[in-house]
Amino acid sequence: PRRLTAQQKQSLMLLANQIVRLLELRENSKKLADQAEKLAEFYRMSPVAITLNRFADGLFLEANPALFQMLGYTQEEFAGLTY
């Protein structure tokens, strides 16, 4: 069997470390996506009205169904409103 040189061993270690890091990133990305979905579900299902707006001009960017139900607006009617 042929022996690896120190440089080849170092290259293999670097490659192995990159693979491990990529696998960790994939796992973290999946966890982050799962957390984002939970937050989105909380937002949609909350009985409390929640809005996302731009503070610079007060434009409502998004609102959950509880807000529409509380105010009697449809999503289309609410689009473009400011506070």
Side-chain angles (χ1 to χ4, degrees), residues 43 61-65 68 72-81:
Y43 176 79
L61 303 172
E62 194 174 325
N64 70 339
F68 301 133
Y73 282 100
T74 66
Q75 189 171 356
E76 293 76 24
E77 292 170 329
F78 197 74
L81 293 181

Side-chain angles (χ1 to χ4, degrees), residues 4-11:
L4 298 175
T5 66
Q7 184 177 5
Q8 288 171 324
K9 288 178 185 178
Q10 183 180 10
S11 295

